[in-house]
Amino acid sequence: MSRRPKLICFDWDGTLIDSVSKISLAIVEAGVSMGYKRIHPQKIEGRISIPFEMLITGLYGDLDLELFIKTYNEIVLDLPPARLFPGALELINRLKHAFLLAIVTNKSRQLLVLELRQHKLQHSFHSLWVAD
């Protein structure tokens, strides 16, 4: 019996795509646009892996989370696309022919699908496990 895996799961942000600075900038700008003090992006960068709602309430405390997420989404959609890490595209293209591939991320489906399309990867993954 073969022990070869059938499915390979990847995290997205900070693993395949270099999006940490883009996410941090959008969080900072969303906070500022809602009247909060500008925080340093480095305060955010080490926390990107936790659920988004926990990250935001940890940074800004009690706030209108729905409004913050709406503001964040508007800002992040206006920013240039994040780049894939060197070698990520080649790795995905090599693996997708031999394995099922999935992404497991705290990102929203809307933003993940947009980024997959921007990099022409929308058909490379069998499954997307997202925050929403």
Side-chain angles (χ1 to χ4, degrees):
M1 181 159 116
S2 173
R3 300 301 298 170
R4 183 172 179 231
K6 295 178 183 173
L7 173 71
I8 299 175
C9 299
F10 291 97
D11 184 26
W12 182 244
D13 296 302
T15 301
L16 295 175
I17 192 166
D18 190 8
S19 56
V20 172
S21 59
K22 178 180 176 176
I23 293 167
S24 298
L25 175 61
I27 290 171
V28 169
E29 294 306 319
V32 169
S33 75
M34 290 180 63
Y36 290 92
K37 180 181 166 189
R38 181 175 296 276
I39 58 175
H40 197 284
Q42 285 182 331
K43 189 172 182 182
I44 300 165
E45 291 172 0
R47 299 177 179 180
I48 294 293
S49 62
I50 66 173
F52 193 74
E53 291 81 1
M54 289 176 58
L55 171 63
I56 299 311
T57 56
L59 292 168
Y60 296 107
D62 188 31
L63 75 159
D64 183 341
L65 193 56
E66 187 175 318
L67 177 60
F68 188 94
I69 291 171
K70 180 180 181 286
T71 304
Y72 167 85
N73 284 335
E74 291 169 359
I75 291 168
V76 82
L77 289 172
D78 284 338
L79 295 174
R83 294 182 179 175
L84 293 172
F85 281 113
L89 182 60
E90 295 79 9
L91 176 67
I92 293 164
N93 285 332
R94 191 170 63 237
L95 292 175
K96 73 181 181 182
H97 298 292
F99 302 95
L100 297 174
L101 302 180
I103 294 176
V104 180
T105 181
N106 285 323
K107 181 168 264 164
S108 72
R109 182 170 299 278
Q110 175 192 11
L111 293 177
L112 176 60
V113 168
L114 173 67
E115 289 178 343
L116 289 171
R117 285 185 185 140
Q118 289 170 334
H119 294 286
K120 298 178 178 38
L121 291 172
Q122 66 270 28
H123 302 295
S124 297
F125 295 90
H126 177 74
S127 183
L128 305 176
W129 294 77
V130 297
D132 50 6

